[in-house]
Amino acid sequence: MSTPHSARARARIEVTAAIKDEARRQLASEGATKLSLRAVARELGMVSSALYRYFPSRDDLLTALIIDAYDSLGEAAEAAAEAVADATPTRRWIAVCEAVRAWSLAHPHEYALIYGSPVPGYTAPQSTVPPASRVGLLLIGIVRDAIKGPGVTFPPLAPELRPEAERLAAEIAPDLPPEVAAALVAAWAQLFGLVGFELFGQFNRVVEDREAFFRHAAGQLALGVGISDRPSARR
Amino acid sequence: MSTPHSARARARIEVTAAIKDEARRQLASEGATKLSLRAVARELGMVSSALYRYFPSRDDLLTALIIDAYDSLGEAAEAAAEAVADATPTRRWIAVCEAVRAWSLAHPHEYALIYGSPVPGYTAPQSTVPPASRVGLLLIGIVRDAIKGPGVTFPPLAPELRPEAERLAAEIAPDLPPEVAAALVAAWAQLFGLVGFELFGQFNRVVEDREAFFRHAAGQLALGVGISDRPSARR
DNA sequence: CAAAAAAGAGAGCAGTGCTCTTGCTTCAGA
DNA sequence: TCTGAAGCAAGAGCACTGCTCTCTTTTTTG
């Protein structure tokens, strides 16, 4: 937070940022598998061994990029939500979904890094958890507002799932009804299924007008969690 | 199809299979990034350059593994469908979804290879298209049977999406109503969103009873495409 | 001001994908 | 059945990778 006291400390964060920037450039243009520490160092005019003073391994660099990607996506989604803060819940939901899709199409390799195969290790480091939940929290907020009004119909919930749904609701959003919380988590995962399929070519020769298809699918997702524009407080 | 005439041709397909088997083993245990041509050759007692007589590059080997993975998944899904061929459409739909999930949990690295980040190039080779559509075709068949009965309610369709839905239906299943075809493609993508999120750790600290959660979500997907067990011809 | 900590430079190790050349084996046509 | 051609294995080698270790220089700190 505070400005660094020593010149060395300031240089350190500058060099760290430069490394991440160059690495992000290579990631965006060639993908995670082609990202090379040596190439990053070369481009920055330093020798490769010097880079290990800043990131102890390639995986650590990738982890840093993963966190940044989560933050970048979260920021884009939050900006989109704020831009339509006064609209109906359905519109706000769809706006966030479309922001996720737009960011993913613009940053395919970064998307692959965070929602495709997890490259480093098998379980993500704990430090990636908070940034990873920004989009989820955003969706929770929208649903929270949406179900405030009267006459909302909660999504159905299989009796076997009720205990899990209650536990889940208590975990992520205690003020949400269990059936809504469970449906929301499912919709959250399904949203990224739609985006991932488009991004990774699964829709080739199947879906043509992807913009319209996605908007419609996002609207259906909203219905699935109980969002509807019936008698909203606003507008 | 026919048995090979020359001894050399027979040896070739044997060695090719051995290479793929060993590569699949390494893929399953270490992941795609760690799969090494040299290690495969070493394990098979041959020198690495000899391997290039069978696969011209590492990406070609990976492509072969991708096709095999699609086929393996498709086979598992089809077997599950046949095992409940006499059940209601909803049960058959859920059985296929659960087979997809089970296969993916059992073969995480192969799943990552085909539905995670596409490693070779950016667009999948044409040869991967037919095996990739086996699960989709299976779902189409189930829905086709399901909507035969009377009293089925078609999913809603936004007017802007109607032309695309009609084109899409003509492409993948001309006998299906456009609204069903569009909803089916969306459900297809969403299914893999659910599976991918569980597999890649996105459900950590969120969903606990994943079995029950998935079954419920799969049932909701079935409802979304218009499948219901009301007055089915069977049972 | 001196000791300690941090940073950079370079060599080096083990590994990778891939190419090229050299022999040997198997096949197919006369 | 013999021979030229094609298929295949082996080895050396190139350019690259992640990473470690040592050595020197710079900066910070007690």
Side-chain angles (χ1 to χ4, degrees), chain A residues 1 10 19 36 83 97 107 123 130 137 144 155-156 168 217:
Chain A
M1 286 297 170
R10 183 169 37 208
I19 292 172
S36 147
C97 290
H107 307 84
T123 53
L137 292 176
R144 199 198 315 274
L168 188 154

Side-chain angles (χ1 to χ4, degrees), chain A residues 38-98:
Chain A
R38 287 181 113 110
V40 170
R42 207 178 303 132
E43 209 69 22
L44 262 53
M46 55 169 86
V47 84
S48 72
S49 61
L51 210 147
Y52 284 82
R53 303 264 173 203
Y54 298 87
F55 295 94
S57 82
R58 202 190 102 112
D59 277 4
D60 289 271
L61 215 197
L62 276 181
T63 301
L65 292 185
I66 287 176
I67 293 174
D68 284 3
Y70 274 127
D71 272 326
S72 170
L73 168 62
E75 208 167 316
E78 284 164 14
E82 279 190 30
V84 293
D86 294 332
T88 66
T90 301
R91 279 176 197 273
R92 289 166 65 200
W93 173 278
I94 292 179
V96 169
C97 290
E98 287 183 322

